[in-house]
Amino acid sequence: MAPISTPGDDDSFVFDEASGEWISAADAAQSAVGEAAVEVRDAVGNLLADGDQVTLIKDLTVKGAGQTLKRGTLIKSIRLTGDPQEIDCRFDGIKGLVLRAEFVKKR
């Protein structure tokens, strides 16, 4: 949805391209917030959030780093990417590490 303001109006209504209708700016903002919220769940179904700590549940070979992260490794301060299956994190010696949520468990 890309809201377009009406010309010469005080932005009280916007055009919703998805539905083809004019809706109030408040409704457009509320639906944009609802679309941006992505639920990311770990291997056992716990809801993950930015800053959480997770533990690996499986040995993972990191492509390009020539390194294997062992089961039970603690990953601190994760960041959500907007994809419901991927989390961004940092680990010693590996920059830009992206893990699949199915291989981690919230601590």
Side-chain angles (χ1 to χ4, degrees):
M1 179 174 94
I4 301 172
S5 299
T6 59
D9 202 3
D10 62 350
D11 293 334
S12 60
F13 288 93
V14 293
F15 185 75
D16 181 16
E17 293 178 354
S19 66
E21 298 177 354
W22 290 96
I23 59 175
S24 71
D27 291 341
Q30 184 178 12
S31 67
V33 169
E35 291 174 359
V38 175
E39 282 191 358
V40 179
R41 298 197 177 263
D42 67 358
V44 293
N46 297 323
L47 189 62
L48 297 175
D50 286 337
D52 283 347
Q53 295 182 355
V54 296
T55 304
L56 295 180
I57 62 168
K58 179 181 175 181
D59 290 351
L60 299 174
T61 304
V62 181
K63 295 180 181 179
Q67 195 173 358
T68 300
L69 297 175
K70 299 291 183 186
R71 178 179 173 200
T73 301
L74 178 66
I75 305 291
K76 297 179 183 179
S77 187
I78 65 168
R79 291 177 302 280
L80 303 181
T81 61
D83 183 347
Q85 288 299 314
E86 294 182 349
I87 56 174
D88 188 27
C89 54
R90 202 179 291 178
F91 189 74
D92 296 333
I94 304 173
K95 291 184 180 180
L97 181 63
V98 177
L99 296 174
R100 301 273 306 172
E102 64 192 271
F103 299 123
V104 299
K105 182 174 84 171
K106 187 173 181 177
R107 186 170 172 147

